[in-house]
């Protein structure tokens, strides 16, 4: 409760601070339009603050998943935009403070100059820049919800594998990750994404975790959608950190365990083979391909439920090994050091940050400061890691610059 109150006060201060730029900018307007703009600004600000108070004082338990998604999005867009705008105002205030200090303590400043300095006004340029820095992110983040959330992109990647058997050369593998079905608000658009994948006619389909945000009930309406996925060699899946229900409250440990069992049942209903620290070996043209699935294992405070050695057992004598591990930090922490013969690891978890820049060779997202491997293909020696940018979204219900991903991996000889 203390942290909640601190955030509420900080949000209110941020509202007031950002308001200063708008106030200065429209100060010369006539009374009626000026007061109208004031009213609109504070109506928007107080609705976001009210939403934050409502959500944290019990409201999240009485609204639907979709309502919660858009409420949190409204709060996020409002304060993220004002945060960027306020950064510009901070520059202005630092400059003004420096000017004031100079006039106060410099012996060479005339009395007349000192008197005029007491009336230092905000820089018109910086005030306008602050308003732009507030409005542009607000428009961009709103566009990311309306257009980017389901703007699925197919990433085609060739994975060169040393000593790849002839019978596995050219194999087409589709990867989905981080569906987060509890965040969806457009079933038709989600179905379009599934149809895009089916049109690729993959040999195998892998899902690398986070089917839901918290509860198994979130996926119920989408079981008929994801059940349409088909592949000749099957569909294999694992659990992600959100699938265990660790980020919500439960009436008892028994209820939490029952939720996890229901989620596992959902994989079965969709005809996805859920691998829980185990592997399955496929024989293809007399070549043995091991599909290894480990439960969630991550660094930086994330749960470490998985047991890699247990999942690997029995895959030693296969020709090629593919590991499904939700969190890419697992690759450096255990996979590379303990099992150098796992040629390919498939992960998700990062969402590519959901907001960032991917333009030619230029790639940036804030999530790269948390994860060394955050999107795309990585290689160390003869081992490869592919990090999927995610099919869904969580928190911010959109994508800006980092589109939701369907991956098509082709196995080739190194």
């Amino acid at each position: 409760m203390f942290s909640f109150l601190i955030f509420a006060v900080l949000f209110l201060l941020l509202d007031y601070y950002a308001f200063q730029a708008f106030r200065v900018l429209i100060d010369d307007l006539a009374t009626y339009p000026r007061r109208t703009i004031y009213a609109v600004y504070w109506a928007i600000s107080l609705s976001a603050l009210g939403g934050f108070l409502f959500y944290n004082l019990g409201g999240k338990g009485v609204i639907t998943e979709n309502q919660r998604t858009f409420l949190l999005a409204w709060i996020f867009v409002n304060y993220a935009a004002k945060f960027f705008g306020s950064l510009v105002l901070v520059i202005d205030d630092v400059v003004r403070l420096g000017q004031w200090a100079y006039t106060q303590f410099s012996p060479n400043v005339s009395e007349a100059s000192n008197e005029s300095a007491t009336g230092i006004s905000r820089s018109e340029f910086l005030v306008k820049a602050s308003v732009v820095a507030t409005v542009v992110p607000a428009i961009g983040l709103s566009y990311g919800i309306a257009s980017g959330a389901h703007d699925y992109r197919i990433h085609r990647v060739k994975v060169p594998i040393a000593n790849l058997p002839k019978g596995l050369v050219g194999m087409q593998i589709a990867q989905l990750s981080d569906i987060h079905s509890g965040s969806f608000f457009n079933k038709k658009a989600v179905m379009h994404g599934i149809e895009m994948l089916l049109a690729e006619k993959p040999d195998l389909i892998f899902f690398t975790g986070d089917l839901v945000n918290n509860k198994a009930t979130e996926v119920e309406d989408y079981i008929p959608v994801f059940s349409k996925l088909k592949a000749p060699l099957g569909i294999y899946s694992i659990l992600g950190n959100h699938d265990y229900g660790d980020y919500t409250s439960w009436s008892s440990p028994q209820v939490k365990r029952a939720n996890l069992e229901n989620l596992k049942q959902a994989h079965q209903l969709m005809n996805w083979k859920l691998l829980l620290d185990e592997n399955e070996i496929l024989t293809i043209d007399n070549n043995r391909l091991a599909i290894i699935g480990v439960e969630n294992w991550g660094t930086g405070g994330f749960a470490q439920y998985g047991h890699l050695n247990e999942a690997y057992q029995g895959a030693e004598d296969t020709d090629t090994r593919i590991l499904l591990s939700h969190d890419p930090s697992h690759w450096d922490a255990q996979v590379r050091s303990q099992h150098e013969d796992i040629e390919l690891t498939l992960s998700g978890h990062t969402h590519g940050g959901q907001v960032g820049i991917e333009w030619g060779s230029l790639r940036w997202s804030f999530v790269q400061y948390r994860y060394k491997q955050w999107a795309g293909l990585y290689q160390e020696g003869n081992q490869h890691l592919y990090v999927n940018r995610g099919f869904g979204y969580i928190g911010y219900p959109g994508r800006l610059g980092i589109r939701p991903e369907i991956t098509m991996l082709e196995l080739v000889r190194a």
Side-chain angles (χ1 to χ4, degrees):
M1 179 61 72
F2 180 75
S3 298
F4 156 69
L5 291 175
I6 291 295
F7 273 106
V9 171
L10 289 176
F11 284 159
L12 185 59
L13 291 175
L14 183 59
D15 284 327
Y16 181 76
Y17 192 59
F19 174 69
Q20 303 310 307
F22 287 89
R23 185 179 62 79
V24 172
L25 195 64
I26 65 174
D27 197 46
D28 293 333
L29 293 180
T31 301
Y32 179 75
R34 185 172 72 249
R35 288 180 176 176
T36 300
I37 294 173
Y38 287 174
V40 170
Y41 176 91
W42 282 109
I44 292 172
S45 299
L46 293 177
S47 68
L49 183 61
F52 176 77
L53 295 171
F54 168 78
Y55 182 82
N56 286 278
L57 293 175
K60 63 182 176 181
V62 298
I63 56 178
T64 66
E65 287 290 338
N66 280 350
Q67 290 171 336
R68 184 169 74 170
T69 294
F70 281 99
L71 176 60
L72 293 177
W74 174 241
I75 297 168
F76 173 79
V77 170
N78 180 74
Y79 289 111
K82 289 175 180 174
F83 172 78
F84 288 115
S86 294
L87 289 179
V88 179
L89 284 185
V90 168
I91 296 173
D92 181 35
D93 284 338
V94 169
V95 171
R96 293 170 64 231
L97 180 62
Q99 291 174 335
W100 176 85
Y102 177 76
T103 61
Q104 294 297 313
F105 301 107
S106 175
N108 298 320
V109 177
S110 66
E111 184 176 344
S113 299
N114 188 51
E115 289 176 358
S116 63
T118 60
I120 293 173
S121 62
R122 288 188 181 275
S123 161
E124 182 179 357
F125 169 77
L126 288 176
V127 166
K128 289 180 178 179
S130 173
V131 173
V132 170
T134 300
V135 173
V136 170
I139 294 174
L141 291 170
S142 298
Y143 175 81
I145 297 172
S147 179
H150 302 104
D151 187 12
Y152 302 107
R153 300 297 172 92
I154 296 177
H155 290 252
R156 305 180 192 280
V157 183
K158 293 182 184 292
V159 183
I161 294 181
N163 303 315
L164 182 68
K166 183 178 179 180
L168 300 182
V169 173
M171 174 176 284
Q172 299 289 320
I173 298 173
Q175 182 193 4
L176 292 178
S177 193
D178 299 88
I179 285 175
H180 289 285
S181 51
S183 296
F184 287 147
F185 56 88
N186 189 335
K187 185 181 288 188
K188 184 177 180 180
V190 173
M191 186 64 231
H192 175 65
I194 297 303
E195 290 170 349
M196 288 175 62
L197 189 155
L198 288 171
E200 296 295 314
K201 296 180 168 42
D203 300 308
L204 265 171
I205 299 176
F206 294 140
F207 173 66
T208 48
D210 278 358
L211 182 60
V212 298
N213 295 339
N214 295 295
K215 298 180 179 180
T217 52
E218 296 169 21
V219 77
E220 289 178 354
D221 289 343
Y222 287 89
I223 287 177
V225 175
F226 296 120
S227 295
K228 295 183 181 296
L229 290 173
K230 307 292 180 188
L233 297 178
I235 304 172
Y236 294 86
S237 60
I238 57 171
L239 299 177
N241 57 299
H242 280 268
D243 293 323
Y244 296 89
D246 290 342
Y247 308 125
T248 191
S249 299
W250 301 96
S251 58
S252 69
Q254 292 78 12
V255 173
K256 182 181 179 182
R257 285 194 295 269
N259 175 76
L260 182 56
E261 292 305 313
N262 290 338
L263 185 68
K264 294 176 182 178
Q265 181 67 23
H267 284 252
Q268 185 176 342
L269 291 172
M270 295 186 295
N271 294 312
W272 297 6
K273 172 65 176 178
L274 181 62
L275 299 175
L276 301 167
D277 286 347
E278 57 189 321
N279 65 75
E280 185 151 323
I281 299 172
L282 305 181
T283 301
I284 305 165
D285 294 337
N286 296 318
N287 305 125
R288 303 176 77 226
L289 171 66
I291 303 168
I292 306 166
V294 68
E295 294 202 49
N296 188 73
W297 197 103
T299 61
F302 287 99
Q304 298 180 350
Y305 294 116
H307 300 88
L308 180 58
N309 289 333
E310 181 179 329
Y312 176 85
Q313 190 172 3
E316 300 89 343
D317 298 326
T318 54
D319 297 299
T320 304
R321 289 150 290 272
I322 299 176
L323 171 67
L324 311 183
S325 180
H326 177 69
D327 193 319
S329 65
H330 194 198
W331 194 55
D332 277 338
Q334 287 191 340
V335 179
R336 289 177 50 224
S337 60
Q338 296 183 15
H339 295 284
E340 295 181 0
D341 58 349
I342 294 179
E343 293 90 347
L344 175 61
T345 299
L346 301 180
S347 298
H349 183 62
T350 69
H351 299 202
Q354 293 186 204
V355 176
I357 300 171
E358 288 193 288
W359 188 26
S361 60
L362 177 62
R363 296 201 319 156
W364 177 88
S365 173
F366 68 89
V367 79
Q368 71 187 65
Y369 303 113
R370 170 64 177 83
Y371 291 96
K372 178 182 176 182
Q373 298 92 11
W374 61 278
L377 186 66
Y378 301 86
Q379 180 178 0
E380 292 288 345
N382 289 327
Q383 293 182 282
H384 293 81
L385 166 70
Y386 190 85
V387 183
N388 182 285
R389 295 162 180 81
F391 187 81
Y393 39 83
I394 190 171
Y396 168 57
R399 297 272 185 156
L400 188 61
I402 306 291
R403 305 299 187 182
E405 176 176 358
I406 299 165
T407 314
M408 287 303 303
L409 302 151
E410 180 183 355
L411 302 187
V412 298
R413 280 181 172 168

mmCIF file with all atom_site columns, all heavy atoms in Angstrom, residues 78-95:
data_model
loop_
_atom_site.group_PDB
_atom_site.id
_atom_site.type_symbol
_atom_site.label_atom_id
_atom_site.label_alt_id
_atom_site.label_comp_id
_atom_site.label_asym_id
_atom_site.label_entity_id
_atom_site.label_seq_id
_atom_site.pdbx_PDB_ins_code
_atom_site.Cartn_x
_atom_site.Cartn_y
_atom_site.Cartn_z
_atom_site.occupancy
_atom_site.B_iso_or_equiv
_atom_site.pdbx_formal_charge
_atom_site.auth_seq_id
_atom_site.auth_comp_id
_atom_site.auth_asym_id
_atom_site.auth_atom_id
_atom_site.pdbx_PDB_model_num
ATOM 1   N N   . ASN A 1 78 ? -0.506 7.520  -21.053 1.00 0.00 ? 78 ASN A N   1
ATOM 2   C CA  . ASN A 1 78 ? -0.594 8.851  -20.463 1.00 0.00 ? 78 ASN A CA  1
ATOM 3   C C   . ASN A 1 78 ? 0.695  9.251  -19.759 1.00 0.00 ? 78 ASN A C   1
ATOM 4   O O   . ASN A 1 78 ? 1.260  10.324 -20.008 1.00 0.00 ? 78 ASN A O   1
ATOM 5   C CB  . ASN A 1 78 ? -1.767 8.888  -19.469 1.00 0.00 ? 78 ASN A CB  1
ATOM 6   C CG  . ASN A 1 78 ? -1.917 10.246 -18.803 1.00 0.00 ? 78 ASN A CG  1
ATOM 7   O OD1 . ASN A 1 78 ? -2.361 11.209 -19.401 1.00 0.00 ? 78 ASN A OD1 1
ATOM 8   N ND2 . ASN A 1 78 ? -1.540 10.310 -17.530 1.00 0.00 ? 78 ASN A ND2 1
ATOM 9   N N   . TYR A 1 79 ? 1.195  8.373  -18.898 1.00 0.00 ? 79 TYR A N   1
ATOM 10  C CA  . TYR A 1 79 ? 2.354  8.761  -18.092 1.00 0.00 ? 79 TYR A CA  1
ATOM 11  C C   . TYR A 1 79 ? 3.678  8.560  -18.822 1.00 0.00 ? 79 TYR A C   1
ATOM 12  O O   . TYR A 1 79 ? 4.650  9.278  -18.546 1.00 0.00 ? 79 TYR A O   1
ATOM 13  C CB  . TYR A 1 79 ? 2.332  8.030  -16.758 1.00 0.00 ? 79 TYR A CB  1
ATOM 14  C CG  . TYR A 1 79 ? 1.231  8.566  -15.871 1.00 0.00 ? 79 TYR A CG  1
ATOM 15  C CD1 . TYR A 1 79 ? 0.105  7.791  -15.567 1.00 0.00 ? 79 TYR A CD1 1
ATOM 16  C CD2 . TYR A 1 79 ? 1.282  9.861  -15.394 1.00 0.00 ? 79 TYR A CD2 1
ATOM 17  C CE1 . TYR A 1 79 ? -0.924 8.305  -14.789 1.00 0.00 ? 79 TYR A CE1 1
ATOM 18  C CE2 . TYR A 1 79 ? 0.258  10.382 -14.621 1.00 0.00 ? 79 TYR A CE2 1
ATOM 19  C CZ  . TYR A 1 79 ? -0.843 9.601  -14.318 1.00 0.00 ? 79 TYR A CZ  1
ATOM 20  O OH  . TYR A 1 79 ? -1.856 10.116 -13.570 1.00 0.00 ? 79 TYR A OH  1
ATOM 21  N N   . ALA A 1 80 ? 3.732  7.621  -19.761 1.00 0.00 ? 80 ALA A N   1
ATOM 22  C CA  . ALA A 1 80 ? 4.960  7.478  -20.560 1.00 0.00 ? 80 ALA A CA  1
ATOM 23  C C   . ALA A 1 80 ? 5.174  8.719  -21.410 1.00 0.00 ? 80 ALA A C   1
ATOM 24  O O   . ALA A 1 80 ? 6.291  9.247  -21.510 1.00 0.00 ? 80 ALA A O   1
ATOM 25  C CB  . ALA A 1 80 ? 4.870  6.234  -21.445 1.00 0.00 ? 80 ALA A CB  1
ATOM 26  N N   . ALA A 1 81 ? 4.101  9.217  -22.038 1.00 0.00 ? 81 ALA A N   1
ATOM 27  C CA  . ALA A 1 81 ? 4.215  10.419 -22.871 1.00 0.00 ? 81 ALA A CA  1
ATOM 28  C C   . ALA A 1 81 ? 4.635  11.628 -22.034 1.00 0.00 ? 81 ALA A C   1
ATOM 29  O O   . ALA A 1 81 ? 5.517  12.408 -22.432 1.00 0.00 ? 81 ALA A O   1
ATOM 30  C CB  . ALA A 1 81 ? 2.884  10.686 -23.571 1.00 0.00 ? 81 ALA A CB  1
ATOM 31  N N   . LYS A 1 82 ? 4.028  11.786 -20.863 1.00 0.00 ? 82 LYS A N   1
ATOM 32  C CA  . LYS A 1 82 ? 4.373  12.934 -20.011 1.00 0.00 ? 82 LYS A CA  1
ATOM 33  C C   . LYS A 1 82 ? 5.783  12.820 -19.451 1.00 0.00 ? 82 LYS A C   1
ATOM 34  O O   . LYS A 1 82 ? 6.451  13.827 -19.217 1.00 0.00 ? 82 LYS A O   1
ATOM 35  C CB  . LYS A 1 82 ? 3.353  13.063 -18.882 1.00 0.00 ? 82 LYS A CB  1
ATOM 36  C CG  . LYS A 1 82 ? 1.991  13.542 -19.365 1.00 0.00 ? 82 LYS A CG  1
ATOM 37  C CD  . LYS A 1 82 ? 0.963  13.551 -18.273 1.00 0.00 ? 82 LYS A CD  1
ATOM 38  C CE  . LYS A 1 82 ? -0.379 14.038 -18.802 1.00 0.00 ? 82 LYS A CE  1
ATOM 39  N NZ  . LYS A 1 82 ? -1.455 13.935 -17.793 1.00 0.00 ? 82 LYS A NZ  1
ATOM 40  N N   . PHE A 1 83 ? 6.234  11.604 -19.259 1.00 0.00 ? 83 PHE A N   1
ATOM 41  C CA  . PHE A 1 83 ? 7.600  11.411 -18.779 1.00 0.00 ? 83 PHE A CA  1
ATOM 42  C C   . PHE A 1 83 ? 8.601  11.948 -19.800 1.00 0.00 ? 83 PHE A C   1
ATOM 43  O O   . PHE A 1 83 ? 9.536  12.679 -19.450 1.00 0.00 ? 83 PHE A O   1
ATOM 44  C CB  . PHE A 1 83 ? 7.856  9.931  -18.509 1.00 0.00 ? 83 PHE A CB  1
ATOM 45  C CG  . PHE A 1 83 ? 9.286  9.604  -18.188 1.00 0.00 ? 83 PHE A CG  1
ATOM 46  C CD1 . PHE A 1 83 ? 9.801  9.861  -16.931 1.00 0.00 ? 83 PHE A CD1 1
ATOM 47  C CD2 . PHE A 1 83 ? 10.122 9.051  -19.153 1.00 0.00 ? 83 PHE A CD2 1
ATOM 48  C CE1 . PHE A 1 83 ? 11.135 9.573  -16.627 1.00 0.00 ? 83 PHE A CE1 1
ATOM 49  C CE2 . PHE A 1 83 ? 11.449 8.762  -18.859 1.00 0.00 ? 83 PHE A CE2 1
ATOM 50  C CZ  . PHE A 1 83 ? 11.948 9.021  -17.598 1.00 0.00 ? 83 PHE A CZ  1
ATOM 51  N N   . PHE A 1 84 ? 8.396  11.601 -21.085 1.00 0.00 ? 84 PHE A N   1
ATOM 52  C CA  . PHE A 1 84 ? 9.323  12.083 -22.116 1.00 0.00 ? 84 PHE A CA  1
ATOM 53  C C   . PHE A 1 84 ? 9.264  13.601 -22.243 1.00 0.00 ? 84 PHE A C   1
ATOM 54  O O   . PHE A 1 84 ? 10.285 14.264 -22.406 1.00 0.00 ? 84 PHE A O   1
ATOM 55  C CB  . PHE A 1 84 ? 9.001  11.422 -23.459 1.00 0.00 ? 84 PHE A CB  1
ATOM 56  C CG  . PHE A 1 84 ? 9.385  9.977  -23.526 1.00 0.00 ? 84 PHE A CG  1
ATOM 57  C CD1 . PHE A 1 84 ? 8.430  8.992  -23.657 1.00 0.00 ? 84 PHE A CD1 1
ATOM 58  C CD2 . PHE A 1 84 ? 10.722 9.599  -23.456 1.00 0.00 ? 84 PHE A CD2 1
ATOM 59  C CE1 . PHE A 1 84 ? 8.785  7.659  -23.710 1.00 0.00 ? 84 PHE A CE1 1
ATOM 60  C CE2 . PHE A 1 84 ? 11.098 8.266  -23.510 1.00 0.00 ? 84 PHE A CE2 1
ATOM 61  C CZ  . PHE A 1 84 ? 10.120 7.291  -23.632 1.00 0.00 ? 84 PHE A CZ  1
ATOM 62  N N   . GLY A 1 85 ? 8.048  14.152 -22.178 1.00 0.00 ? 85 GLY A N   1
ATOM 63  C CA  . GLY A 1 85 ? 7.916  15.600 -22.249 1.00 0.00 ? 85 GLY A CA  1
ATOM 64  C C   . GLY A 1 85 ? 8.570  16.299 -21.080 1.00 0.00 ? 85 GLY A C   1
ATOM 65  O O   . GLY A 1 85 ? 9.200  17.357 -21.235 1.00 0.00 ? 85 GLY A O   1
ATOM 66  N N   . SER A 1 86 ? 8.475  15.711 -19.914 1.00 0.00 ? 86 SER A N   1
ATOM 67  C CA  . SER A 1 86 ? 9.039  16.322 -18.712 1.00 0.00 ? 86 SER A CA  1
ATOM 68  C C   . SER A 1 86 ? 10.563 16.312 -18.721 1.00 0.00 ? 86 SER A C   1
ATOM 69  O O   . SER A 1 86 ? 11.196 17.168 -18.098 1.00 0.00 ? 86 SER A O   1
ATOM 70  C CB  . SER A 1 86 ? 8.518  15.601 -17.463 1.00 0.00 ? 86 SER A CB  1
ATOM 71  O OG  . SER A 1 86 ? 7.122  15.803 -17.326 1.00 0.00 ? 86 SER A OG  1
ATOM 72  N N   . LEU A 1 87 ? 11.158 15.348 -19.421 1.00 0.00 ? 87 LEU A N   1
ATOM 73  C CA  . LEU A 1 87 ? 12.613 15.329 -19.518 1.00 0.00 ? 87 LEU A CA  1
ATOM 74  C C   . LEU A 1 87 ? 13.122 16.614 -20.172 1.00 0.00 ? 87 LEU A C   1
ATOM 75  O O   . LEU A 1 87 ? 14.162 17.155 -19.783 1.00 0.00 ? 87 LEU A O   1
ATOM 76  C CB  . LEU A 1 87 ? 13.073 14.113 -20.335 1.00 0.00 ? 87 LEU A CB  1
ATOM 77  C CG  . LEU A 1 87 ? 12.922 12.743 -19.673 1.00 0.00 ? 87 LEU A CG  1
ATOM 78  C CD1 . LEU A 1 87 ? 13.406 11.652 -20.616 1.00 0.00 ? 87 LEU A CD1 1
ATOM 79  C CD2 . LEU A 1 87 ? 13.702 12.675 -18.359 1.00 0.00 ? 87 LEU A CD2 1
ATOM 80  N N   . VAL A 1 88 ? 12.385 17.112 -21.173 1.00 0.00 ? 88 VAL A N   1
ATOM 81  C CA  . VAL A 1 88 ? 12.775 18.367 -21.821 1.00 0.00 ? 88 VAL A CA  1
ATOM 82  C C   . VAL A 1 88 ? 12.614 19.533 -20.860 1.00 0.00 ? 88 VAL A C   1
ATOM 83  O O   . VAL A 1 88 ? 13.453 20.436 -20.805 1.00 0.00 ? 88 VAL A O   1
ATOM 84  C CB  . VAL A 1 88 ? 11.936 18.585 -23.094 1.00 0.00 ? 88 VAL A CB  1
ATOM 85  C CG1 . VAL A 1 88 ? 12.320 19.905 -23.770 1.00 0.00 ? 88 VAL A CG1 1
ATOM 86  C CG2 . VAL A 1 88 ? 12.111 17.419 -24.058 1.00 0.00 ? 88 VAL A CG2 1
ATOM 87  N N   . LEU A 1 89 ? 11.532 19.520 -20.073 1.00 0.00 ? 89 LEU A N   1
ATOM 88  C CA  . LEU A 1 89 ? 11.328 20.592 -19.092 1.00 0.00 ? 89 LEU A CA  1
ATOM 89  C C   . LEU A 1 89 ? 12.435 20.608 -18.045 1.00 0.00 ? 89 LEU A C   1
ATOM 90  O O   . LEU A 1 89 ? 12.822 21.674 -17.555 1.00 0.00 ? 89 LEU A O   1
ATOM 91  C CB  . LEU A 1 89 ? 9.974  20.414 -18.400 1.00 0.00 ? 89 LEU A CB  1
ATOM 92  C CG  . LEU A 1 89 ? 8.729  20.810 -19.189 1.00 0.00 ? 89 LEU A CG  1
ATOM 93  C CD1 . LEU A 1 89 ? 7.493  20.673 -18.301 1.00 0.00 ? 89 LEU A CD1 1
ATOM 94  C CD2 . LEU A 1 89 ? 8.833  22.220 -19.722 1.00 0.00 ? 89 LEU A CD2 1
ATOM 95  N N   . VAL A 1 90 ? 12.936 19.436 -17.691 1.00 0.00 ? 90 VAL A N   1
ATOM 96  C CA  . VAL A 1 90 ? 14.030 19.366 -16.726 1.00 0.00 ? 90 VAL A CA  1
ATOM 97  C C   . VAL A 1 90 ? 15.246 20.101 -17.277 1.00 0.00 ? 90 VAL A C   1
ATOM 98  O O   . VAL A 1 90 ? 15.926 20.844 -16.546 1.00 0.00 ? 90 VAL A O   1
ATOM 99  C CB  . VAL A 1 90 ? 14.375 17.894 -16.412 1.00 0.00 ? 90 VAL A CB  1
ATOM 100 C CG1 . VAL A 1 90 ? 15.693 17.811 -15.646 1.00 0.00 ? 90 VAL A CG1 1
ATOM 101 C CG2 . VAL A 1 90 ? 13.262 17.253 -15.597 1.00 0.00 ? 90 VAL A CG2 1
ATOM 102 N N   . ILE A 1 91 ? 15.541 19.925 -18.574 1.00 0.00 ? 91 ILE A N   1
ATOM 103 C CA  . ILE A 1 91 ? 16.659 20.639 -19.191 1.00 0.00 ? 91 ILE A CA  1
ATOM 104 C C   . ILE A 1 91 ? 16.450 22.144 -19.069 1.00 0.00 ? 91 ILE A C   1
ATOM 105 O O   . ILE A 1 91 ? 17.353 22.902 -18.706 1.00 0.00 ? 91 ILE A O   1
ATOM 106 C CB  . ILE A 1 91 ? 16.792 20.230 -20.670 1.00 0.00 ? 91 ILE A CB  1
ATOM 107 C CG1 . ILE A 1 91 ? 17.153 18.743 -20.784 1.00 0.00 ? 91 ILE A CG1 1
ATOM 108 C CG2 . ILE A 1 91 ? 17.845 21.094 -21.378 1.00 0.00 ? 91 ILE A CG2 1
ATOM 109 C CD1 . ILE A 1 91 ? 17.140 18.219 -22.204 1.00 0.00 ? 91 ILE A CD1 1
ATOM 110 N N   . ASP A 1 92 ? 15.229 22.572 -19.376 1.00 0.00 ? 92 ASP A N   1
ATOM 111 C CA  . ASP A 1 92 ? 14.903 23.995 -19.285 1.00 0.00 ? 92 ASP A CA  1
ATOM 112 C C   . ASP A 1 92 ? 15.098 24.511 -17.861 1.00 0.00 ? 92 ASP A C   1
ATOM 113 O O   . ASP A 1 92 ? 15.682 25.584 -17.637 1.00 0.00 ? 92 ASP A O   1
ATOM 114 C CB  . ASP A 1 92 ? 13.457 24.199 -19.740 1.00 0.00 ? 92 ASP A CB  1
ATOM 115 C CG  . ASP A 1 92 ? 13.045 25.666 -19.706 1.00 0.00 ? 92 ASP A CG  1
ATOM 116 O OD1 . ASP A 1 92 ? 13.905 26.521 -19.996 1.00 0.00 ? 92 ASP A OD1 1
ATOM 117 O OD2 . ASP A 1 92 ? 11.883 25.945 -19.378 1.00 0.00 ? 92 ASP A OD2 1
ATOM 118 N N   . ASP A 1 93 ? 14.609 23.748 -16.879 1.00 0.00 ? 93 ASP A N   1
ATOM 119 C CA  . ASP A 1 93 ? 14.717 24.205 -15.491 1.00 0.00 ? 93 ASP A CA  1
ATOM 120 C C   . ASP A 1 93 ? 16.158 24.238 -15.007 1.00 0.00 ? 93 ASP A C   1
ATOM 121 O O   . ASP A 1 93 ? 16.538 25.108 -14.211 1.00 0.00 ? 93 ASP A O   1
ATOM 122 C CB  . ASP A 1 93 ? 13.875 23.301 -14.589 1.00 0.00 ? 93 ASP A CB  1
ATOM 123 C CG  . ASP A 1 93 ? 12.385 23.594 -14.717 1.00 0.00 ? 93 ASP A CG  1
ATOM 124 O OD1 . ASP A 1 93 ? 12.047 24.715 -15.149 1.00 0.00 ? 93 ASP A OD1 1
ATOM 125 O OD2 . ASP A 1 93 ? 11.569 22.705 -14.413 1.00 0.00 ? 93 ASP A OD2 1
ATOM 126 N N   . VAL A 1 94 ? 16.975 23.285 -15.467 1.00 0.00 ? 94 VAL A N   1
ATOM 127 C CA  . VAL A 1 94 ? 18.391 23.295 -15.086 1.00 0.00 ? 94 VAL A CA  1
ATOM 128 C C   . VAL A 1 94 ? 19.070 24.536 -15.646 1.00 0.00 ? 94 VAL A C   1
ATOM 129 O O   . VAL A 1 94 ? 19.875 25.199 -14.958 1.00 0.00 ? 94 VAL A O   1
ATOM 130 C CB  . VAL A 1 94 ? 19.092 22.015 -15.589 1.00 0.00 ? 94 VAL A CB  1
ATOM 131 C CG1 . VAL A 1 94 ? 20.608 22.139 -15.439 1.00 0.00 ? 94 VAL A CG1 1
ATOM 132 C CG2 . VAL A 1 94 ? 18.589 20.800 -14.809 1.00 0.00 ? 94 VAL A CG2 1
ATOM 133 N N   . VAL A 1 95 ? 18.757 24.882 -16.903 1.00 0.00 ? 95 VAL A N   1
ATOM 134 C CA  . VAL A 1 95 ? 19.332 26.077 -17.517 1.00 0.00 ? 95 VAL A CA  1
ATOM 135 C C   . VAL A 1 95 ? 18.905 27.328 -16.750 1.00 0.00 ? 95 VAL A C   1
ATOM 136 O O   . VAL A 1 95 ? 19.721 28.211 -16.442 1.00 0.00 ? 95 VAL A O   1
ATOM 137 C CB  . VAL A 1 95 ? 18.908 26.178 -18.994 1.00 0.00 ? 95 VAL A CB  1
ATOM 138 C CG1 . VAL A 1 95 ? 19.313 27.543 -19.582 1.00 0.00 ? 95 VAL A CG1 1
ATOM 139 C CG2 . VAL A 1 95 ? 19.541 25.051 -19.801 1.00 0.00 ? 95 VAL A CG2 1
#
